[in-house]
Amino acid sequence: MSPSSTAILSPPLPTPWPRFASPLKLGVMASGKGSNLEAIATAIQQGHLQAQIQVVIYNNPGAGVRTRAAQLGFPTVLLNHRHYPSREALDRAIVDTLQAHRVDWVIMAGWMRRVTPVLIDAFPRQVLNIHPSLLPSFPGVRAVEQALAAGVKVSGCTVHQVELVVDSGPVVMQAAVPVWPDDTPEILQARIQVQEHRIYPAAIALAAEAASQPSTRPSNGGQLTVDG
Ligand code: GAR
């Protein structure tokens, strides 16, 4: 197989996508450029993910996500962590903002801050995160660099429910990509992000579907199929 192959292991997308009594009300938290925000917005616009983005919270004044969110017409709120005396104080401001915008599901899309019980307890099992590795491998910062340094041959991305330990919690969906010998962090990150953008909207829908039917599990969130 050539290094340029796009072979992946990726879960099927919902067919049909779940429908809810009313659109899911999402609050997105982001620190970076906002490509996952855009992917979620696209899935909504296409009628796949039945949701609406109530607010986008960002913590870095120069973050590209602010511009993307504004272009997409979403309200943005800057909560700069440098201006809060503790993680709990920041999370209190985040919770207040999310509740003021009537958010049901908290979507961490490149949020690079640890969270506290203040946030998690306000939205039990309704805080989701995406991480650029096959958790539980390589949690924390620079996950793609960690994977390359370890010499893994397969990496990927994970959407999971957020618990207190960084990048931990029940997995909702994963997708895997090959790692090639000449990969740089940028090349591997780009390959992983194609999968992030594919699975995050679906994972939100499946998590919400599972939450609305407490006795069932997401119908296909755990299954990997070969997609060459
Ligand atoms: C994504 O690759 C996401 O997995 C990662 O930040 C990037 C944000 O990209 N998140 C983490 O590392 C969380 N531990 P984006 O701003 O283009 O959506």
Side-chain angles (χ1 to χ4, degrees):
M1 187 174 288
S2 86
S4 62
S5 167
T6 56
I8 55 172
L9 292 166
S10 192
L13 299 182
T15 310
W17 286 65
R19 296 289 121 190
F20 307 103
S22 59
L24 308 174
K25 294 185 172 68
L26 310 183
V28 176
M29 297 167 56
S31 304
K33 63 184 194 294
S35 70
N36 279 287
L37 167 70
E38 192 163 324
I40 293 164
T42 299
I44 294 171
Q45 285 164 0
Q46 291 174 337
H48 296 153
L49 176 60
Q50 188 191 358
Q52 52 200 40
I53 295 175
Q54 304 287 102
V55 64
V56 176
I57 295 173
Y58 65 106
N59 65 313
N60 290 320
V65 68
R66 192 206 68 80
T67 309
R68 284 206 202 208
Q71 287 169 346
L72 290 162
F74 303 134
T76 58
V77 175
L78 171 63
L79 296 177
N80 188 334
H81 59 278
R82 301 162 189 86
H83 298 168
Y84 293 85
S86 66
R87 294 186 191 279
E88 287 76 11
L90 173 64
D91 279 4
R92 185 71 258 158
I94 291 170
V95 169
D96 289 347
T97 302
L98 294 168
Q99 290 177 339
H101 287 83
R102 302 186 314 283
V103 164
D104 297 323
W105 285 85
V106 183
I107 307 301
M108 291 169 45
W111 182 254
M112 301 306 283
R113 306 290 306 169
R114 289 185 192 180
V115 297
T116 72
V118 173
L119 174 63
I120 293 174
D121 293 350
F123 295 91
R125 293 178 300 284
Q126 301 211 168
V127 183
L128 301 179
N129 180 47
I130 190 159
H131 184 73
S133 75
L134 293 175
L135 293 172
S137 293
F138 314 123
V141 296
R142 305 179 77 81
V144 175
E145 287 88 341
Q146 290 185 57
L148 287 174
V152 298
K153 308 309 177 202
V154 175
S155 190
C157 52
T158 303
V159 177
H160 64 97
Q161 289 178 7
V162 171
E163 293 183 345
L164 268 189
V165 175
V166 171
D167 297 323
S168 76
V171 170
V172 179
M173 197 176 259
Q174 290 182 307
V177 304
V179 180
W180 300 116
D182 55 354
D183 276 350
T184 63
E186 293 73 25
I187 289 171
L188 180 53
Q189 171 81 19
R191 192 178 301 129
I192 290 171
Q193 282 223 300
V194 171
Q195 296 307 312
E196 291 190 338
H197 301 160
R198 181 172 182 273
I199 71 168
Y200 209 175
I204 294 166
L206 291 175
E209 182 184 45
S212 70
Q213 301 168 355
S215 62
T216 65
R217 299 171 68 84
S219 56
N220 60 358
Q223 300 303 312
L224 292 178
T225 56
V226 176
D227 178 0

